[in-house]
Each structure stands twice: as structure tokens, then as C-alpha cells.
């Protein structure tokens, strides 16, 4: 069985974003793309409804791309204790 990994929205955003002009952000994007394409296959990824909500915001084309990138990822169930944390962040 593969180890599980929770994929949060910033990882998805870095993976799907157009290349940034800022060299630091670009480096983060490239590292994320490398990990996604080379290492993610070693894990069983999960997302949550909160992640889906967050990545569906903003530019409609960018949101579509983000949502498409995680369409095959299983969703963790929402438990009431986590909702205040989501609201806080």
C-alpha cells in the first residue's frame, strides 16, 4: 500500500499556474511540477471539499485547470471539527 498524502490548494496552484516572472515563485512552481510528475505516483493522494472550494475560485479557466488536475483524487470526508480551521485560514 502506498503512503497517503494530502494535497492542499497551494500545491495545486503552483502546479497549474502559468510560469511566474518572480524567480522564487518560478522555482517553487518548477519544484512542484517536478514532484507532481515524478514523485506523486509513489503516493495515494487525497484532497478535501475545502480544497475543491478554494481551487474553484478566481479566473474560470485557471480554476478549470486546477479542478481537472485533481479530478481523480479521492476526497476526505468533512468532519465538523475541521470547519472552524478552514474558516480561520
Amino acid at each position: 500500500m502506498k503512503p497517503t498524502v494530502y494535497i492542499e490548494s497551494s500545491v495545486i496552484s503552483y502546479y497549474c499556474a502559468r510560469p511566474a516572472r518572480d524567480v522564487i515563485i518560478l522555482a517553487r512552481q518548477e519544484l512542484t511540477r517536478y514532484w507532481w510528475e515524478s514523485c506523486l505516483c509513489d503516493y495515494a493522494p487525497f484532497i478535501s471539499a475545502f480544497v475543491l472550494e478554494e481551487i474553484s475560485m478566481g479566473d474560470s479557466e485557471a480554476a478549470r485547470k486546477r479542478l481537472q488536475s485533481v479530478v481523480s483524487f479521492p476526497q476526505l470526508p468533512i468532519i465538523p471539527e475541521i470547519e472552524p480551521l478552514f474558516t480561520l485560514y
Side-chain angles (χ1 to χ4, degrees), residues 38-75:
S38 301
C39 302
L40 182 59
C41 61
D42 296 329
Y43 297 90
F46 288 88
I47 57 172
S48 69
F50 299 122
V51 167
L52 289 176
E53 183 178 332
E54 199 168 5
I55 67 173
S56 67
M57 295 182 202
D59 177 78
S60 61
E61 182 59 26
R64 184 199 60 74
K65 188 175 180 182
R66 290 188 299 266
L67 290 166
Q68 184 62 36
S69 73
V70 298
V71 71
S72 66
F73 294 1
Q75 225 183 123

